[in-house]
Amino acid sequence: MTTWAWGAAIDNGQEAPAILERARADVDPELRSAVDTLPPEMRRVARYHFGWQDADGLATTAHAGKAIRPALVLTAADALGGARARTAAVRAAAAVELVHNFTLLHDDVMDRDPTRRHRATAWAVFGDPDAILAGDALQALAFRLLAGDSHPAAVPALGRLASCVVELCEGQQIDTALERREPREVGLAEVLRMAEAKTGALLGCACAIGGLYAGGSADEVDALDLFGRQAGLAFQLIDDVIGIWGDPLHTGKPAGADLAARKKSLPVVAALTSGGSAADELAALYSGPYVEGELERTALAVERAGGRDWAQAEAADRMGDAVAELARAVPDPERGGGLLALAEFVTRRSN
Amino acid sequence: MTTWAWGAAIDNGQEAPAILERARADVDPELRSAVDTLPPEMRRVARYHFGWQDADGLATTAHAGKAIRPALVLTAADALGGARARTAAVRAAAAVELVHNFTLLHDDVMDRDPTRRHRATAWAVFGDPDAILAGDALQALAFRLLAGDSHPAAVPALGRLASCVVELCEGQQIDTALERREPREVGLAEVLRMAEAKTGALLGCACAIGGLYAGGSADEVDALDLFGRQAGLAFQLIDDVIGIWGDPLHTGKPAGADLAARKKSLPVVAALTSGGSAADELAALYSGPYVEGELERTALAVERAGGRDWAQAEAADRMGDAVAELARAVPDPERGGGLLALAEFVTRRSN
C-alpha cells in the first residue's frame, strides 16, 4: 500500500505556481519557434491568440494562459524519469500546448465567444476564416513537431495525441449539441462524458505523454492518463461550481455567469435531473432567457435541488480516484508531489 | 537525355480512369475503417461528406470524388518501387485523402458553399460546428493512421504531410483574403501562389509520399513533389479556363460560373493586370455584381485582355516543367507512364 493521501502536497502550497512558471519558460521558446514557421498572416493570428502581440502586430505582455498542460507533460516525465526525461519532453509539451490552443481557436468560433483571457477572440478580430485556418495550422504544427523529434517516445506520443484530438472534438460536439436541447432533455451521463472528453482527455494525454518520454510501462502510462483525466473532471466540476457561486480565491469568472448564459453545466444538470420541486423551479427558470435580478433565486434552486453538494462530492471522488492512479504510476510520494500539486492547483485546492 | 515528352501517354488514353478506380478500391477500406473509429455523431458527418450515406444515415452510392490524390501516392510508389511499395503505401494514401477531405469540409464552411459534388455541403446539413469538428477529426485521423504505420517512410511522410497542411491553410487564407479585395488590387503573383499552395501543394505531397514509401532518394522525392506541384498548377489554370469558357468534355462546371460569382481566378487576374482597354472594361464589370446577360461580354473582355491565352500558355509551361521533373524522378518512361496519365487526366488532356 501507499502512504499517498489527497492533500499530501498541501504543505508545498507554493509549489504549483513555480512548476507552471518553469514549464512556461521551458516550453515558450519551442512554441514560439514553431509558430514562427507559419506563413505571415496565420502567424499574425496565432501570435495574437497566444497573447504575444496585439491585433496590429505590436508585442504585448498579455497573459498567455497558465501552461497547465505543458507543465503536466514535463512534471509527469520528471516524476517517472527524472530531469533528463523532463528535458527530452519539452518539444512534446509544446505539441500538447499547440493542440490545446487549436481547440480554443475553433471552440471560440463555434461558441461565438467574443472574449478569452480578457481580450477579443481571434475570430472577433480577424474573422472566422482566419481563426479556423490558424487553428487548423496549429494542429498540423503539433504533429510536425513530434514527427521531427527523434526520441523513441515521439511516435507513440503522436498517436496518443491524435486520438486525444478526436476525443476533444467529441467533447465539443456533445457540448454544442447539448446547448441546442431543452434543459430537461439533457442527462447527467452525457454532460459527464462531455466534460471528460473536452477537459479530462487532454490533461490525461499530457500526463501519459510525459510518462512515455520517461520510458514508462504501458501500465504506468495508462495510470498517468487516468490520473490526469480524473483530475480534469474534478477541475471541471469545481469550475462549474465557481461559475455559479463564484471563486473563493477571486481568480475566476464572476458568480452567476454560467446561470445567466443558461449553461447546462454539471451542477445544473445534476439539479435538473434530481426530481422534486427545486428541479421543477430550475427547469421553469431555464426554459426562458435570463431576467435581470433572478440570479440568486436560480442559484438557490440549483443548491436546493442538490446540484452544489453533488458537484462537490463528485469532485472529491474524482480527486480521490486521481490520487489512487497517481500512486499506481508513481509509488514514491516524493516524486509524485509535483503532479499532485498541479492537480490541487487546478481544482482550486491551492493557489 | 530522356525520351519523355508531354503527350507520351496519349495512346494510353484509357489508363487514368483505370488507375483511379483501382486506387479508390484499394484505399476505400482503409479510409472507411479509419472513419468508423470516430464517435457516432462525427462519424455521421464524415460518412455523409464522403458520400457513403445520406443525411439520415442510409447508405448511398453518391460519387465520393475521383481519388486523384491517393492514386498519385500509389502510382508514385509503384513507379519508383514497384508493386510492393505500392501496397505498402495504401495507408499513407488514405491519410492524404483524409487531409484533402478535412480541407474540403472547412473550405465549404468558410466559403459558404451550399453544394459539393451535387449534394448539400456538410455545414448546410449539420451546421457549422459539426462540419468544423468533423474536419478537425479527419486531420487527426490522418496523422494517427501514419503514426500507427511501422513502415520506415511513415514518420518522414507524416512530417511532410503536416507541412503540407500548413501550406493548404495558407492557400485558403490567401483565397479568402483576395475575395475581399477590389479586383484591381489583386496581383498575378498572389493568385499563382494561392493556386500553388491550395492545389499544387497536396498533389506534390501525395507524389512525394509515394516516393518515400518506395525508398526514393531525397532528390527523387523532391522531383516527384515538383512534378505534382506543377501538374497541380496546370490543373488549376485549365480548371479556371473551364470556369469561364466551359468544359470541352462536358464534365465540369457550367460555362461562366466563375465570372457570375466574380471569382478572381487566374485568367481573370491575368486579364485585369494586362493593361489596356479590355482590362479596364473587365475591371468596370467586376466592380459591380453580375447582371443577367452580360456573361458573353465579360468572357470576351477576359479573352481580349489576353487572360485565356496566358492561362493556356502557362498551363502548357507548367505541364512541361512537370514532365521534366517526372523524367528526373523516374527516367524510364515505361515506369512513369501512370503518373503522366494522371497528370494529363487532371489537366483534361485525356479522359
Side-chain angles (χ1 to χ4, degrees), chain A residues 114-326:
Chain A
T115 57
R116 169 171 299 280
R117 296 171 195 148
H118 312 291
R119 300 165 76 222
T121 43
W123 71 264
V125 175
F126 302 100
D128 286 7
D130 280 11
I132 293 171
L133 290 164
D136 290 341
L138 291 190
Q139 181 181 175
L141 281 187
F143 293 120
R144 193 172 72 185
L145 260 192
L146 286 171
D149 182 352
S150 58
H151 193 283
V155 174
L158 203 161
R160 219 163 169 123
L161 189 57
S163 292
C164 182
V165 168
V166 174
E167 203 173 341
L168 291 166
C169 293
E170 181 191 1
Q172 172 70 1
Q173 200 283 326
I174 301 174
D175 197 6
T176 56
L178 294 186
E179 286 307 314
R180 291 192 298 264
R181 285 215 241 134
E182 290 301 315
R184 291 215 111 155
E185 286 170 3
V186 174
L188 197 49
E190 291 176 297
V191 272
L192 278 167
R193 173 62 199 143
M194 187 264 282
E196 180 178 350
K198 199 169 159 165
T199 307
L202 189 54
L203 298 190
C205 184
C207 296
I209 286 176
L212 287 170
Y213 273 79
S217 69
D219 271 358
E220 289 167 332
V221 170
D222 285 344
L224 283 170
D225 194 324
L226 285 168
F227 158 73
R229 207 172 261 272
Q230 297 296 334
L233 259 171
F235 157 67
Q236 194 57 61
L237 286 153
I238 300 294
D239 203 54
D240 282 358
V241 168
I242 287 168
I244 299 175
W245 293 281
D247 187 348
L249 301 174
H250 312 297
T251 58
K253 41 191 168 184
D258 284 357
L259 295 181
R262 296 293 184 238
K263 211 180 140 196
K264 297 174 188 98
S265 67
L266 288 155
V268 167
V269 174
L272 284 167
T273 54
S274 65
S277 64
D280 292 340
E281 187 190 356
L282 180 60
L285 285 162
Y286 252 58
S287 67
Y290 172 68
V291 178
E292 195 72 47
E294 74 176 12
L295 214 52
E296 216 170 316
R297 197 181 139 211
T298 316
L300 197 63
V302 179
E303 189 155 4
R304 281 178 44 234
R308 184 176 194 163
D309 286 347
W310 172 84
Q312 279 169 335
E314 188 77 17
D317 279 358
R318 301 293 182 162
M319 268 301 275
D321 291 348
V323 171
E325 295 296 340
L326 180 56

Side-chain angles (χ1 to χ4, degrees), chain B residues 218-276:
Chain B
D219 271 358
E220 288 167 332
V221 170
D222 285 344
L224 283 169
D225 194 324
L226 284 169
F227 158 73
R229 208 171 261 271
Q230 296 297 331
L233 260 171
F235 157 67
Q236 194 56 61
L237 286 153
I238 299 295
D239 203 54
D240 283 358
V241 167
I242 287 167
I244 299 176
W245 292 281
D247 188 347
L249 301 174
H250 312 296
T251 56
K253 40 191 168 182
D258 283 357
L259 295 181
R262 295 291 184 242
K263 213 181 139 195
K264 297 176 190 94
S265 67
L266 288 156
V268 167
V269 174
L272 284 167
T273 54
S274 66

Side-chain angles (χ1 to χ4, degrees), chain B:
Chain B
M1 284 307 288
T2 171
T3 57
W4 272 101
W6 182 24
I10 273 179
D11 47 1
N12 286 327
Q14 291 312 304
E15 205 184 343
I19 292 171
L20 291 168
E21 200 178 319
R22 190 169 158 225
R24 167 67 65 210
D26 288 342
V27 170
D28 249 15
E30 194 73 54
L31 207 54
R32 284 176 186 257
S33 82
V35 167
D36 281 350
T37 67
L38 290 175
E41 286 306 312
M42 284 191 292
R43 185 166 66 222
R44 190 163 153 241
V45 178
R47 290 180 59 86
Y48 172 84
H49 167 78
F50 277 108
W52 301 335
Q53 63 184 41
D54 65 18
D56 298 319
L58 299 170
T60 57
T61 52
H63 189 51
K66 281 189 292 288
I68 283 162
R69 290 154 195 82
L72 286 172
V73 175
L74 299 181
T75 311
D78 201 348
L80 220 61
R84 273 182 65 176
R86 187 187 182 282
T87 304
V90 166
R91 195 180 284 195
V96 168
E97 187 70 351
L98 286 167
V99 160
H100 176 52
N101 282 279
F102 127 61
T103 65
L104 295 182
L105 279 161
H106 283 193
D107 287 357
D108 287 342
V109 169
M110 289 178 244
D111 301 339
R112 311 315 294 163
D113 276 330
T115 57
R116 169 171 300 281
R117 296 171 195 148
H118 312 292
R119 301 164 76 224
T121 43
W123 71 264
V125 175
F126 302 100
D128 285 7
D130 280 11
I132 293 172
L133 291 164
D136 289 341
L138 291 191
Q139 182 182 175
L141 281 188
F143 293 119
R144 194 173 69 185
L145 261 192
L146 286 171
D149 182 353
S150 59
H151 194 283
V155 174
L158 203 161
R160 218 163 169 122
L161 189 58
S163 291
C164 182
V165 168
V166 174
E167 204 173 340
L168 292 166
C169 293
E170 181 191 1
Q172 172 70 3
Q173 200 283 326
I174 301 175
D175 197 6
T176 56
L178 294 187
E179 287 307 314
R180 291 192 298 264
R181 284 214 241 136
E182 291 301 316
R184 292 215 109 156
E185 286 171 1
V186 173
L188 197 50
E190 291 177 297
V191 272
L192 278 167
R193 172 65 200 141
M194 187 264 280
E196 180 177 349
K198 200 169 160 166
T199 307
L202 189 53
L203 298 190
C205 184
C207 296
I209 287 176
L212 287 170
Y213 274 79
S217 70
D219 271 358
E220 288 167 332
V221 170
D222 285 344
L224 283 169
D225 194 324
L226 284 169
F227 158 73
R229 208 171 261 271
Q230 296 297 331
L233 260 171
F235 157 67
Q236 194 56 61
L237 286 153
I238 299 295
D239 203 54
D240 283 358
V241 167
I242 287 167
I244 299 176
W245 292 281
D247 188 347
L249 301 174
H250 312 296
T251 56
K253 40 191 168 182
D258 283 357
L259 295 181
R262 295 291 184 242
K263 213 181 139 195
K264 297 176 190 94
S265 67
L266 288 156
V268 167
V269 174
L272 284 167
T273 54
S274 66
S277 63
D280 292 341
E281 187 190 356
L282 180 60
L285 286 161
Y286 251 59
S287 67
Y290 173 68
V291 178
E292 195 74 47
E294 73 176 15
L295 213 52
E296 218 170 313
R297 197 180 140 213
T298 316
L300 197 63
V302 180
E303 189 155 5
R304 281 178 44 233
R308 185 175 195 164
D309 286 347
W310 172 84
Q312 279 168 336
E314 189 76 17
D317 279 358
R318 301 293 181 163
M319 269 301 276
D321 291 349
V323 171
E325 295 296 340
L326 180 56
R328 192 154 75 87
V330 191
D332 177 2
E334 192 76 34
R335 306 196 68 166
L339 285 173
L340 188 61
L342 287 173
E344 292 182 340
F345 177 82
V346 298
T347 54
R348 313 288 208 278
R349 308 262 158 205
S350 72
N351 63 338

